[in-house]
PDB file of all heavy atoms in Angstrom:
ATOM      1  N   VAL A 282     -13.384  -9.156   7.642  1.00 85.00           N
ATOM      2  CA  VAL A 282     -11.960  -9.571   7.630  1.00 85.00           C
ATOM      3  C   VAL A 282     -11.357  -9.209   6.303  1.00 85.00           C
ATOM      4  O   VAL A 282     -10.189  -8.704   6.248  1.00 85.00           O
ATOM      5  CB  VAL A 282     -11.916 -11.112   7.824  1.00 85.00           C
ATOM      6  CG1 VAL A 282     -10.485 -11.595   7.550  1.00 85.00           C
ATOM      7  CG2 VAL A 282     -12.273 -11.465   9.236  1.00 85.00           C
ATOM      8  N   GLU A 283     -12.071  -9.372   5.224  1.00 85.00           N
ATOM      9  CA  GLU A 283     -11.539  -8.966   3.848  1.00 85.00           C
ATOM     10  C   GLU A 283     -11.269  -7.510   3.760  1.00 85.00           C
ATOM     11  O   GLU A 283     -10.252  -7.078   3.256  1.00 85.00           O
ATOM     12  CB  GLU A 283     -12.477  -9.525   2.768  1.00 85.00           C
ATOM     13  CG  GLU A 283     -12.496 -11.033   2.630  1.00 85.00           C
ATOM     14  CD  GLU A 283     -13.481 -11.446   1.585  1.00 85.00           C
ATOM     15  OE1 GLU A 283     -14.340 -10.665   1.141  1.00 85.00           O
ATOM     16  OE2 GLU A 283     -13.397 -12.623   1.139  1.00 85.00           O
ATOM     17  N   ILE A 284     -12.180  -6.701   4.325  1.00 88.00           N
ATOM     18  CA  ILE A 284     -11.976  -5.257   4.248  1.00 88.00           C
ATOM     19  C   ILE A 284     -10.817  -4.823   5.108  1.00 88.00           C
ATOM     20  O   ILE A 284     -10.040  -3.971   4.727  1.00 88.00           O
ATOM     21  CB  ILE A 284     -13.289  -4.544   4.711  1.00 88.00           C
ATOM     22  CG1 ILE A 284     -14.440  -4.721   3.642  1.00 88.00           C
ATOM     23  CG2 ILE A 284     -13.059  -3.048   4.913  1.00 88.00           C
ATOM     24  CD1 ILE A 284     -15.718  -4.225   4.083  1.00 88.00           C
ATOM     25  N   GLY A 285     -10.663  -5.464   6.294  1.00 88.00           N
ATOM     26  CA  GLY A 285      -9.514  -5.140   7.099  1.00 88.00           C
ATOM     27  C   GLY A 285      -8.217  -5.488   6.423  1.00 88.00           C
ATOM     28  O   GLY A 285      -7.292  -4.683   6.470  1.00 88.00           O
ATOM     29  N   LYS A 286      -8.188  -6.570   5.776  1.00 87.00           N
ATOM     30  CA  LYS A 286      -6.981  -6.953   4.982  1.00 87.00           C
ATOM     31  C   LYS A 286      -6.731  -6.031   3.869  1.00 87.00           C
ATOM     32  O   LYS A 286      -5.636  -5.645   3.536  1.00 87.00           O
ATOM     33  CB  LYS A 286      -7.054  -8.405   4.548  1.00 87.00           C
ATOM     34  CG  LYS A 286      -6.897  -9.441   5.642  1.00 87.00           C
ATOM     35  CD  LYS A 286      -6.787 -10.866   5.105  1.00 87.00           C
ATOM     36  CE  LYS A 286      -6.553 -11.862   6.218  1.00 87.00           C
ATOM     37  NZ  LYS A 286      -5.233 -11.662   6.879  1.00 87.00           N
ATOM     38  N   GLN A 287      -7.839  -5.651   3.210  1.00 87.00           N
ATOM     39  CA  GLN A 287      -7.696  -4.666   2.092  1.00 87.00           C
ATOM     40  C   GLN A 287      -7.171  -3.329   2.527  1.00 87.00           C
ATOM     41  O   GLN A 287      -6.304  -2.722   1.830  1.00 87.00           O
ATOM     42  CB  GLN A 287      -9.111  -4.511   1.503  1.00 87.00           C
ATOM     43  CG  GLN A 287      -9.052  -3.647   0.172  1.00 87.00           C
ATOM     44  CD  GLN A 287     -10.456  -3.370  -0.312  1.00 87.00           C
ATOM     45  OE1 GLN A 287     -11.347  -3.024   0.418  1.00 87.00           O
ATOM     46  NE2 GLN A 287     -10.693  -3.563  -1.607  1.00 87.00           N
ATOM     47  N   LEU A 288      -7.503  -2.889   3.725  1.00 88.00           N
ATOM     48  CA  LEU A 288      -6.953  -1.638   4.244  1.00 88.00           C
ATOM     49  C   LEU A 288      -5.479  -1.763   4.466  1.00 88.00           C
ATOM     50  O   LEU A 288      -4.720  -0.834   4.064  1.00 88.00           O
ATOM     51  CB  LEU A 288      -7.703  -1.316   5.595  1.00 88.00           C
ATOM     52  CG  LEU A 288      -7.053  -0.142   6.413  1.00 88.00           C
ATOM     53  CD1 LEU A 288      -7.175   1.125   5.634  1.00 88.00           C
ATOM     54  CD2 LEU A 288      -7.722  -0.043   7.785  1.00 88.00           C
ATOM     55  N   LEU A 289      -4.992  -2.848   5.087  1.00 87.00           N
ATOM     56  CA  LEU A 289      -3.592  -2.998   5.366  1.00 87.00           C
ATOM     57  C   LEU A 289      -2.819  -3.106   4.028  1.00 87.00           C
ATOM     58  O   LEU A 289      -1.773  -2.594   3.893  1.00 87.00           O
ATOM     59  CB  LEU A 289      -3.371  -4.180   6.236  1.00 87.00           C
ATOM     60  CG  LEU A 289      -3.983  -4.152   7.656  1.00 87.00           C
ATOM     61  CD1 LEU A 289      -3.738  -5.455   8.406  1.00 87.00           C
ATOM     62  CD2 LEU A 289      -3.467  -2.966   8.406  1.00 87.00           C
ATOM     63  N   ILE A 290      -3.422  -3.859   3.068  1.00 89.00           N
ATOM     64  CA  ILE A 290      -2.684  -4.143   1.847  1.00 89.00           C
ATOM     65  C   ILE A 290      -2.644  -2.801   1.050  1.00 89.00           C
ATOM     66  O   ILE A 290      -1.603  -2.492   0.363  1.00 89.00           O
ATOM     67  CB  ILE A 290      -3.394  -5.218   0.978  1.00 89.00           C
ATOM     68  CG1 ILE A 290      -3.199  -6.552   1.685  1.00 89.00           C
ATOM     69  CG2 ILE A 290      -2.879  -5.233  -0.429  1.00 89.00           C
ATOM     70  CD1 ILE A 290      -3.993  -7.635   1.047  1.00 89.00           C
ATOM     71  N   THR A 291      -3.669  -2.011   1.066  1.00 90.00           N
ATOM     72  CA  THR A 291      -3.671  -0.696   0.305  1.00 90.00           C
ATOM     73  C   THR A 291      -2.642   0.175   0.928  1.00 90.00           C
ATOM     74  O   THR A 291      -1.891   0.844   0.190  1.00 90.00           O
ATOM     75  CB  THR A 291      -5.069  -0.102   0.476  1.00 90.00           C
ATOM     76  OG1 THR A 291      -6.102  -0.948  -0.071  1.00 90.00           O
ATOM     77  CG2 THR A 291      -5.150   1.283  -0.279  1.00 90.00           C
ATOM     78  N   ARG A 292      -2.566   0.214   2.248  1.00 89.00           N
ATOM     79  CA  ARG A 292      -1.548   1.111   2.865  1.00 89.00           C
ATOM     80  C   ARG A 292      -0.109   0.599   2.524  1.00 89.00           C
ATOM     81  O   ARG A 292       0.724   1.421   2.185  1.00 89.00           O
ATOM     82  CB  ARG A 292      -1.774   1.057   4.364  1.00 89.00           C
ATOM     83  CG  ARG A 292      -0.932   2.094   5.149  1.00 89.00           C
ATOM     84  CD  ARG A 292      -1.350   2.007   6.574  1.00 89.00           C
ATOM     85  NE  ARG A 292      -2.681   2.608   6.812  1.00 89.00           N
ATOM     86  CZ  ARG A 292      -3.429   2.384   7.899  1.00 89.00           C
ATOM     87  NH1 ARG A 292      -2.999   1.532   8.826  1.00 89.00           N
ATOM     88  NH2 ARG A 292      -4.563   2.932   8.029  1.00 89.00           N
ATOM     89  N   GLY A 293       0.079  -0.707   2.492  1.00 88.00           N
ATOM     90  CA  GLY A 293       1.387  -1.187   2.186  1.00 88.00           C
ATOM     91  C   GLY A 293       1.736  -1.033   0.708  1.00 88.00           C
ATOM     92  O   GLY A 293       2.892  -0.692   0.362  1.00 88.00           O
ATOM     93  N   ALA A 294       0.703  -1.228  -0.190  1.00 90.00           N
ATOM     94  CA  ALA A 294       0.949  -1.067  -1.592  1.00 90.00           C
ATOM     95  C   ALA A 294       1.340   0.349  -1.949  1.00 90.00           C
ATOM     96  O   ALA A 294       2.279   0.581  -2.732  1.00 90.00           O
ATOM     97  CB  ALA A 294      -0.260  -1.518  -2.347  1.00 90.00           C
ATOM     98  N   LEU A 295       0.657   1.359  -1.404  1.00 90.00           N
ATOM     99  CA  LEU A 295       0.930   2.681  -1.736  1.00 90.00           C
ATOM    100  C   LEU A 295       2.178   3.176  -1.092  1.00 90.00           C
ATOM    101  O   LEU A 295       2.867   4.148  -1.648  1.00 90.00           O
ATOM    102  CB  LEU A 295      -0.305   3.602  -1.384  1.00 90.00           C
ATOM    103  CG  LEU A 295      -1.545   3.388  -2.221  1.00 90.00           C
ATOM    104  CD1 LEU A 295      -2.643   4.322  -1.824  1.00 90.00           C
ATOM    105  CD2 LEU A 295      -1.238   3.473  -3.681  1.00 90.00           C
ATOM    106  N   THR A 296       2.537   2.664   0.090  1.00 90.00           N
ATOM    107  CA  THR A 296       3.865   2.929   0.694  1.00 90.00           C
ATOM    108  C   THR A 296       4.953   2.468  -0.219  1.00 90.00           C
ATOM    109  O   THR A 296       5.978   3.139  -0.473  1.00 90.00           O
ATOM    110  CB  THR A 296       3.949   2.336   2.105  1.00 90.00           C
ATOM    111  OG1 THR A 296       2.908   2.838   2.900  1.00 90.00           O
ATOM    112  CG2 THR A 296       5.290   2.713   2.730  1.00 90.00           C
ATOM    113  N   THR A 297       4.832   1.221  -0.715  1.00 90.00           N
ATOM    114  CA  THR A 297       5.820   0.670  -1.656  1.00 90.00           C
ATOM    115  C   THR A 297       5.913   1.533  -2.886  1.00 90.00           C
ATOM    116  O   THR A 297       7.012   1.808  -3.368  1.00 90.00           O
ATOM    117  CB  THR A 297       5.450  -0.752  -2.029  1.00 90.00           C
ATOM    118  OG1 THR A 297       5.261  -1.571  -0.922  1.00 90.00           O
ATOM    119  CG2 THR A 297       6.426  -1.399  -2.983  1.00 90.00           C
ATOM    120  N   PHE A 298       4.796   1.943  -3.472  1.00 91.00           N
ATOM    121  CA  PHE A 298       4.799   2.722  -4.680  1.00 91.00           C
ATOM    122  C   PHE A 298       5.496   4.092  -4.377  1.00 91.00           C
ATOM    123  O   PHE A 298       6.303   4.566  -5.208  1.00 91.00           O
ATOM    124  CB  PHE A 298       3.429   2.997  -5.155  1.00 91.00           C
ATOM    125  CG  PHE A 298       3.341   3.782  -6.438  1.00 91.00           C
ATOM    126  CD1 PHE A 298       3.327   3.161  -7.671  1.00 91.00           C
ATOM    127  CD2 PHE A 298       3.229   5.159  -6.448  1.00 91.00           C
ATOM    128  CE1 PHE A 298       3.261   3.873  -8.860  1.00 91.00           C
ATOM    129  CE2 PHE A 298       3.119   5.860  -7.572  1.00 91.00           C
ATOM    130  CZ  PHE A 298       3.117   5.236  -8.829  1.00 91.00           C
ATOM    131  N   SER A 299       5.142   4.682  -3.258  1.00 89.00           N
ATOM    132  CA  SER A 299       5.712   6.021  -2.894  1.00 89.00           C
ATOM    133  C   SER A 299       7.213   5.966  -2.780  1.00 89.00           C
ATOM    134  O   SER A 299       7.893   6.853  -3.337  1.00 89.00           O
ATOM    135  CB  SER A 299       5.141   6.511  -1.597  1.00 89.00           C
ATOM    136  OG  SER A 299       5.632   7.722  -1.189  1.00 89.00           O
ATOM    137  N   ILE A 300       7.757   4.985  -2.138  1.00 87.00           N
ATOM    138  CA  ILE A 300       9.209   4.914  -1.930  1.00 87.00           C
ATOM    139  C   ILE A 300       9.896   4.513  -3.289  1.00 87.00           C
ATOM    140  O   ILE A 300      10.942   5.109  -3.633  1.00 87.00           O
ATOM    141  CB  ILE A 300       9.535   3.866  -0.829  1.00 87.00           C
ATOM    142  CG1 ILE A 300       8.993   4.366   0.499  1.00 87.00           C
ATOM    143  CG2 ILE A 300      11.074   3.641  -0.799  1.00 87.00           C
ATOM    144  CD1 ILE A 300       9.145   3.359   1.654  1.00 87.00           C
ATOM    145  N   ALA A 301       9.246   3.633  -4.053  1.00 88.00           N
ATOM    146  CA  ALA A 301       9.827   3.209  -5.318  1.00 88.00           C
ATOM    147  C   ALA A 301       9.917   4.400  -6.347  1.00 88.00           C
ATOM    148  O   ALA A 301      10.908   4.537  -7.072  1.00 88.00           O
ATOM    149  CB  ALA A 301       9.032   2.071  -5.904  1.00 88.00           C
ATOM    150  N   ASN A 302       8.904   5.257  -6.360  1.00 85.00           N
ATOM    151  CA  ASN A 302       8.945   6.301  -7.374  1.00 85.00           C
ATOM    152  C   ASN A 302       9.901   7.367  -7.095  1.00 85.00           C
ATOM    153  O   ASN A 302      10.222   8.240  -7.932  1.00 85.00           O
ATOM    154  CB  ASN A 302       7.569   6.881  -7.660  1.00 85.00           C
ATOM    155  CG  ASN A 302       6.977   7.768  -6.528  1.00 85.00           C
ATOM    156  OD1 ASN A 302       7.745   8.357  -5.692  1.00 85.00           O
ATOM    157  ND2 ASN A 302       5.681   7.849  -6.489  1.00 85.00           N
ATOM    158  N   ASP A 303      10.481   7.363  -5.853  1.00 81.00           N
ATOM    159  CA  ASP A 303      11.574   8.290  -5.584  1.00 81.00           C
ATOM    160  C   ASP A 303      12.827   8.015  -6.435  1.00 81.00           C
ATOM    161  O   ASP A 303      13.671   8.846  -6.682  1.00 81.00           O
ATOM    162  CB  ASP A 303      11.887   8.270  -4.094  1.00 81.00           C
ATOM    163  CG  ASP A 303      10.883   8.959  -3.223  1.00 81.00           C
ATOM    164  OD1 ASP A 303      10.089   9.692  -3.800  1.00 81.00           O
ATOM    165  OD2 ASP A 303      10.827   8.631  -1.988  1.00 81.00           O
ATOM    166  N   ILE A 304      12.926   6.726  -6.888  1.00 79.00           N
ATOM    167  CA  ILE A 304      14.105   6.337  -7.633  1.00 79.00           C
ATOM    168  C   ILE A 304      14.174   7.129  -8.898  1.00 79.00           C
ATOM    169  O   ILE A 304      15.202   7.704  -9.316  1.00 79.00           O
ATOM    170  CB  ILE A 304      14.117   4.825  -7.883  1.00 79.00           C
ATOM    171  CG1 ILE A 304      14.218   4.062  -6.530  1.00 79.00           C
ATOM    172  CG2 ILE A 304      15.252   4.410  -8.851  1.00 79.00           C
ATOM    173  CD1 ILE A 304      14.079   2.588  -6.719  1.00 79.00           C
ATOM    174  N   ALA A 305      13.030   7.196  -9.602  1.00 77.00           N
ATOM    175  CA  ALA A 305      12.931   7.868 -10.897  1.00 77.00           C
ATOM    176  C   ALA A 305      13.245   9.407 -10.698  1.00 77.00           C
ATOM    177  O   ALA A 305      13.952  10.013 -11.519  1.00 77.00           O
ATOM    178  CB  ALA A 305      11.585   7.673 -11.522  1.00 77.00           C
TER     179      ALA A 305
END
């Protein structure tokens, strides 16, 4: 369960980072 959550969180975190760095 923890690894499954880690997968989803990793995907969400890097998606957030990817969209945010477009601002700079």
